[in-house]
Amino acid sequence: MKTATRNTDTDLSRLLNRLTRGDNIDECLTCGICNSRCTWFDGPGGPIPRQIVRMAVLGLEDALVSSNMLWDCLVCNRCTQECPMGITMDLVVTRARGMAAADGQIPEDIKKGIKTRLELGDVNGLTKEEFVETVEWMSEEFSDEMEDPEALIPHDQAGCKFLYLPNPRELGINLMHLTAMAKLFYAMKETWTLSSHHTDVTNWGYFVGKDDVAKEMARMVVEPAEALGIETLVLSECGHGYHVLKCRVARLLGREPKFNVVSIPELCLSYAQKGILRFDPDVHPYEIAYHDPCNVARKSGGYDPPRQLLDMCCHGVKELVPNREDGVCCGGGGGILQDSTTTQKRMITGKPKADQMRATGLKHLATACLSCHRQLGELSTHFELGMKVDTVAALASESLVL
Amino acid sequence: MTPSFDNVLVLGGGVAGMAAARTLGDRNITVHLVEAADQLGGHAASWACMATDVCRHCGACLARDMAHQTALHPKISIHLNTTLDTLEKIGQGFDIRLTSGETIPAARIILATGFSPFAPDPSLLPGLHFTEHDKVITTTQLNQMLKDETLTDFLGTATPPEIAFIQCVGSRNRRLERDFCSQVCCKISLRHTRKLLHILPDAAITLFHLDLQTIGKETRCLAADLSLMIEMAQGIPAEILEDQDTGRLRLVTEDPGTRSRIARSFDLVVLSVGMSPSPELEKMASRLGITPNHWGFFNTKDASLADGIYAAGCAAGPKDILGSKQEGCIAAAKVLEDMGHKPEKQTDVLVWGDGAQAVTIARTLAKKGHRTICFNRNIPDTKAASGQEITFTDPGKILSVDGVAGHFTIRHETDGTKKTVTCKTIIAAPEPEFTTPAGQGTFSKAIDIDAFSRIPVDQLSDTSVILLDYTGPEYKAASRLALTSAMAAQNTGRQVTVVMHKMLVHGALGQQLYDQARKAGVKFLRVNTPGDIQIQPTKTGFSVTLDEATLPGIPITLLCSTLAIGVSPLPGPDFENTAGLLKQRLDREGFLQSANIRHRLTQSPRRGIYFAGTCHDEVDDTDLAAELNDIMAGIDFTGPVRDFGVEVNQKKCVQCLTCLRICPHNAIVLNEKSRPEIVAEACFGCHLCVANCPALAIASEQFSTDQVAALAGKGQVAVLACQRSAALAAGPLDLPGHIRLISVPCACRINQNLVLKTLLNGADKVIVTGCHEENCQSMDGTATAAAEVDRLLAIPGITPDKVSWHSVAANETRTFARILSDAKIS
Ligand code: SF4
Ligand code: SF4
Ligand code: SF4
Ligand code: SF4
Ligand code: SF4
């Protein structure tokens, strides 16, 4: 019989037992509330959140590192949303993942992605030259499409109002999405730019719980943006990227960045409210369901802007049940989507979401995160839901009245 | 008009308010009892009776009885549908204006505004989807259904119904800023589950709890019984889902067997909601100049009351019905003292017990000016403080206790010499036995928790393990000691681990200590049973290996230099003898004092005999202090003696002494002529003596057999109803003319003669009704009446249709109506 020895003098307990609210896992009441709320629901496998916390409290690092729970957790915080002691699971899990002892468990794809991102600024390994080439080509296409030589996708321009930080998918397999975003900026009639110094909104340092990595990735975004002298950094629809750059950046860098941070749906909404952007709801003459990305909604409080924007671009928004604070993860959170070995597992983690989607009886679903977008699309296919999945900003772009 | 400042205003007509008002009224103080609702009784009066085959001691029916008595009290004026409007402080007192427009000068104010049940508002607890699922209800709603007898209809066709209880909803939750234990909800759920099983014997019930608070008289027995009948699961689900296909409710929980999450389906989910302060209090606080704590109560040091204002009952903090009643009496006594009312007479008190608690009790009473004798075999060598009359005596063998309140005579024998002690009041506090395996066998180097708590922190070893409820059920005083001493040790850099089945926090203070201890870094490990722990002595201490309940399959080893073991009290060796001498009953666990709510918390069916401390209930120092205040409130400010109009007619008496033997309150003594005599101070007016005197020598002014039997007219249905239970239940009903409700002082007034005479006088039927078993104020009235009815039914021609017996509590109006309708009375 293998027995674990209770040990409070471990890296993990030292990291976690700082006596601030939310971080101090020692305060766990063992109430079990989290167990009843894990987004895996009764799916096979997966984490038992209270066990994660208890292992951490008692310093059972080996048990925690060697269990499947650490990487099965989607870091969605659904479990601890109602924790009576204010403990947050993403902190516990990412800290645990970040221990040197857990290095062996980091999925290969994530390791590789982090390496590339740190070396090249883009998780998919897009080089600066490739970036410039791609963007300039797209810019030409864009002005042709808009029949306006002024309609451009600029890059590396100093002194613009906005800097758009895309998702790597927008410079890879989903170029159309970048064009759609360009159209929105064009309609706002503001100066904007991309930057070849940092092409990527993601921050996988957060997934692996390594503050040094997360900090470096954040720095790679913040410093060049500041050098460009922009006013506002506009984030592509990316849940964890949004959460890190909105809620964690100051803690990581030890200072606030010298610009504002908004997501593209938030920006569009404010321009619509100012009367500058106008949308035609009849472009999407249907009711649409909305999925709350955990990182945008529960973890960063961004519940309403995507819904409000969506409402302007479609015939009404239908809620998935449950939603908002209680929203169910798409099943792709916490780095699981970025690990190519998890395709099957993601159909287990995504089952509750698929059930919710089916229950709407609708044919359309939107979300405000490109990772969720991919996972939801796969769910629709796998579970034969026949639902078309879009991002909120893409729909907004389609509905634009120019 | 110069305000008469001998008035007291009591805000809130619940149990605490009524208890306070009556205590004051009995001392001739004019009391204004102000109640926002349209009747007295508060929440307790709306609670359903929890009796199954026997009373379950919830105390709810007391509220009805108290309301009835309060309404009749000449010194209490009741203002219903009324609250405080304005208030002005004048000198020592207050000038008060009520919403009714009345103005009242008052010397003091007692705040007894009670509580409101926590509402599981979806904005606070969205996961419960409380408003979305109609089969998710709160304990308050379940209570209403039990009261209305509508639960089976509500459940519909589900057979057998699967029911989940979720504890701690709105309690013990810092996120909701409600980080206190509401204290009562575990007991409520235990009684509710027991009641449900009584109504729906095949129901499958799961009780999801955080730490089940099994505390209070006979609660452990109830929990132990229930553990064989229902499933008790540690861990409280916070999300209720609905199965799309079946519409049943789903809860996801951890399955320790498979180490994964499983979904379980239920037909009904009951949320065991905690207590919030009453909204009325919130509105009044600023006018009264009082500052409740952030929970809205007065149970922590940061809350403050103003001069001349006292809090009692749940307004002060969550507590149960009997606790509220006790606090009402204590508040009233405090008011009396502060108003300068001197205790009428300093009483001679005998404190009976060998332990430290008895010494504390004796000292407390002496300090208050009572001449105190303490029967104590371990006489403490410290002298009484000057001005205190206190004697510690080794009684040797106690031979007998005779007499009644005010005149007890105790004979005892020390070293072959027989001695006699007289006293007015007896407080029984014999020492329980504290079991601990510390010092024996494997544990020869272990110490008990008391010893551990006494080790100065600088002498503590670096690592300690406390086994809290290893050798017996957890005991509140032991858990408090474990928490405080573990925290002290941890705060000086030692490492302490507490191994427990559950933490008995019970209340705000316990929860605070538990929270602080965890925050300080004390680790708490849970086990399901003591069998999950293996203990090995090592060279330097102990190795403790256990299957942790929250981490199934990962045995955890603790190495420690010090092993401390919690102690549990067991009935002491003296208990049976003490009970016999005092003519008192033991409870189901063998502790002193019956669980009967008519006399608890501290009293007994025998006036002048009280219980205090661990001999009768689970008390810590705070509870003991409250008990003593309660007892002193009773002996310092005795109420008027009631005349029940029962008297021995000495001419008829044949001196068989039946009455002396059977009086349940020991109110009959032999006078100097060796004839039985009823002592008014001790009599409860039950009429058992009247019903049983073979010479018919005991006269009753109002309830003689002939008088009662003549009350029902020809063809009428005579319903003989105990005035403390069934008659009160009948109160709100509009009875048809052919029903004759005859209120009797106790079911034991009934005998065969009385029933037969009633029938002979022309009554069509006789329905006898009284308390549930174990709820009778005179202890066995229920059994006596039921047995009499059984004997009657053995007489040819007397059929169950003619004569029947039913238990009806004061709060069972619906049951009473059903009995009438079942009797097919045309
Ligand atoms: S997957 Fe989400 S809900 Fe489950 S343990 Fe991880 S953070 Fe909690
Ligand atoms: S919900 Fe919070 S307090 Fe409760 S078991 Fe989970 S982590 Fe611990
Ligand atoms: S008889 Fe009274 S104390 Fe007993 S269970 Fe019923 S209501 Fe409670
Ligand atoms: S008594 Fe305490 S532990 Fe029990 S349900 Fe109420 S708050 Fe929770
Ligand atoms: S009425 Fe009851 S209490 Fe009074 S003397 Fe008779 S038997 Fe005793």
Side-chain angles (χ1 to χ4, degrees), chain A residues 1-9 13 17 19-22 24 26-52 54-60 63 67 69 78 80-87 321-322 325-326 355 359, chain B residues 124-129 132 171-177 209-211 234-239 241 244 250-255 259-263 490 495-497 500 511 514-515 518-526 534 545 547-559:
Chain A
M1 183 171 70
K2 199 172 149 258
T3 72
T5 305
R6 150 157 158 33
N7 191 348
T8 40
D9 195 23
S13 40
N17 291 331
L19 298 179
T20 57
R21 184 162 169 159
N24 187 17
D26 264 351
E27 292 186 284
C28 167
L29 259 175
T30 51
C31 68
I33 280 178
C34 47
N35 283 348
S36 72
R37 290 183 48 89
C38 175
T39 201
W40 279 65
F41 291 87
D42 55 339
I48 297 179
R50 181 170 72 176
Q51 291 192 2
I52 298 179
R54 289 293 279 165
M55 286 177 182
V57 169
L58 299 172
L60 309 180
S67 93
M69 299 197 288
R78 186 174 199 279
T80 46
Q81 173 70 20
E82 291 194 16
C83 169
M85 299 314 290
I87 290 164
V321 184
E325 292 88 345
D326 265 352
D355 290 343
Chain B
L124 299 174
L125 295 167
L128 297 174
H129 305 284
E132 288 160 40
S171 300
R172 304 186 69 182
N173 192 320
R174 191 172 68 185
R175 185 177 67 86
L176 301 178
E177 298 187 8
H209 63 93
L210 207 173
D211 298 280
Q234 199 277 330
I236 43 174
E239 176 146 45
L241 305 158
Q244 303 281 342
R250 290 169 84 230
L251 301 175
V252 175
T253 68
E254 177 183 358
D255 178 29
R259 298 186 62 193
S260 67
R261 287 151 281 90
I262 48 161
Q490 194 79 31
Q495 204 182 78
V496 186
T497 311
M500 63 189 192
Q511 183 65 42
Y514 184 36
D515 285 348
R518 293 195 321 283
K519 192 163 178 167
V522 178
K523 305 285 169 168
F524 293 84
L525 300 184
R526 285 181 186 272
Q534 271 92 47
T545 299
D547 282 323
E548 218 276 342
T550 64
L551 291 170
I554 309 173
I556 295 174
T557 298
L558 308 165
L559 299 172

Side-chain angles (χ1 to χ4, degrees), chain B residues 12-27:
Chain B
V15 167
M18 293 190 292
R22 286 173 63 200
T23 307
L24 292 164
D26 285 350
R27 279 285 298 187

Side-chain angles (χ1 to χ4, degrees), chain B residues 646 662-668 678 682-690:
Chain B
V646 209
I662 62 167
C663 171
H665 304 283
N666 299 91
I668 305 184
I678 295 173
C683 173
F684 279 72
C686 67
H687 283 66
L688 186 68
C689 54
V690 178

Side-chain angles (χ1 to χ4, degrees), chain A residues 261-281:
Chain A
V261 180
V262 296
S263 71
I264 182 80
E266 285 166 349
L267 185 70
C268 290
L269 180 67
S270 69
Y271 273 74
Q273 283 164 342
K274 282 187 232 164
I276 298 169
L277 292 188
R278 283 189 300 122
F279 302 104
D280 177 7

Side-chain angles (χ1 to χ4, degrees), chain A residues 37-40 47 49 52 72-79 89:
Chain A
R37 290 183 48 89
C38 175
T39 201
W40 279 65
I52 298 179
D72 275 353
C73 173
L74 307 172
V75 197
C76 67
N77 276 359
R78 186 174 199 279
C79 52
M89 189 54 96

